[in-house]
Amino acid sequence: MSEDEQWMLHAQRLAEKAEAQGEVPVGAVLVKNGEVVGEGWNQPITLSDPTAHAEIMAMRAAGQLLENYRQPETTLYVTLEPCSMCAGAMLHARVGRVVFGAYDPKTGAAGSVYDTLQDERNLHKLTVEGGVLAETCSEQLRDFFRAKRKQLST
């Protein structure tokens, strides 16, 4: 198993925390030099905060730990392709690399719908790797929404 896959499994475990709170199961872990500097999972409902996406929560935690809003030379692992908001935050934080699992054909901003992270007009350039453990990440989301639909129909 590759290092990227190991970190993605870590992000999937964080996504389980979101699901346990009734949130869409997305998890994120920010790594620097092989060490966790920030973790997060979706919490917008729990925190009544539309910005409380997994990626944002992980970057906030890293900012506190590193005492810096800039997070160069880090890799952000997230189970779902980032949205535009999260992609913008990654650019501002100067994240070095993002690795995501499932592609998001509705709001993905790392190549699926938008290509925010690779836009040539950006001052900061970061590396993007998509599809790591894509099937298990997608399955986690499908199972969640399937259960939600079933719950609503009964």
Side-chain angles (χ1 to χ4, degrees), residues 4 16-18 33 37 47 55 71 83 85 93 105 110 119 134 147:
D4 284 349
E16 291 170 3
K17 291 183 177 194
N33 299 323
V37 293
L47 298 177
E55 301 95 308
Q71 298 155 6
C83 69
M85 174 185 69
D119 191 300

Side-chain angles (χ1 to χ4, degrees), residues 55-130:
E55 301 95 308
I56 301 292
M57 301 304 286
M59 288 186 285
R60 283 180 184 159
Q64 295 299 307
L65 179 73
L66 301 171
E67 297 181 339
N68 193 342
Y69 75 102
R70 296 284 168 99
Q71 298 155 6
E73 300 171 16
T74 59
T75 298
L76 181 64
Y77 295 90
V78 59
T79 58
L80 179 65
E81 181 179 2
C83 69
S84 295
M85 174 185 69
C86 294
M90 287 177 221
L91 290 168
H92 285 284
R94 304 296 193 259
V95 169
R97 179 172 177 245
V98 63
V99 178
F100 66 88
Y103 286 87
D104 185 346
K106 294 186 180 185
T107 63
S112 288
V113 179
Y114 309 104
D115 205 3
T116 305
L117 295 172
Q118 296 293 300
D119 191 300
E120 63 196 34
R121 296 167 289 190
N122 293 336
L123 294 177
H124 174 65
K125 306 294 182 213
L126 58 97
T127 305
V128 177
E129 172 91 24

Side-chain angles (χ1 to χ4, degrees), residues 14-74:
L14 295 169
E16 291 170 3
K17 291 183 177 194
E19 186 168 8
Q21 293 178 312
E23 302 274 2
V24 175
V26 178
V29 59
L30 192 64
V31 177
K32 183 171 185 166
N33 299 323
E35 300 287 328
V36 173
V37 293
E39 295 179 330
W41 55 91
N42 269 3
Q43 298 181 73
I45 298 166
T46 303
L47 298 177
S48 299
D49 179 355
T51 69
H53 288 195
E55 301 95 308
I56 301 292
M57 301 304 286
M59 288 186 285
R60 283 180 184 159
Q64 295 299 307
L65 179 73
L66 301 171
E67 297 181 339
N68 193 342
Y69 75 102
R70 296 284 168 99
Q71 298 155 6
E73 300 171 16
T74 59

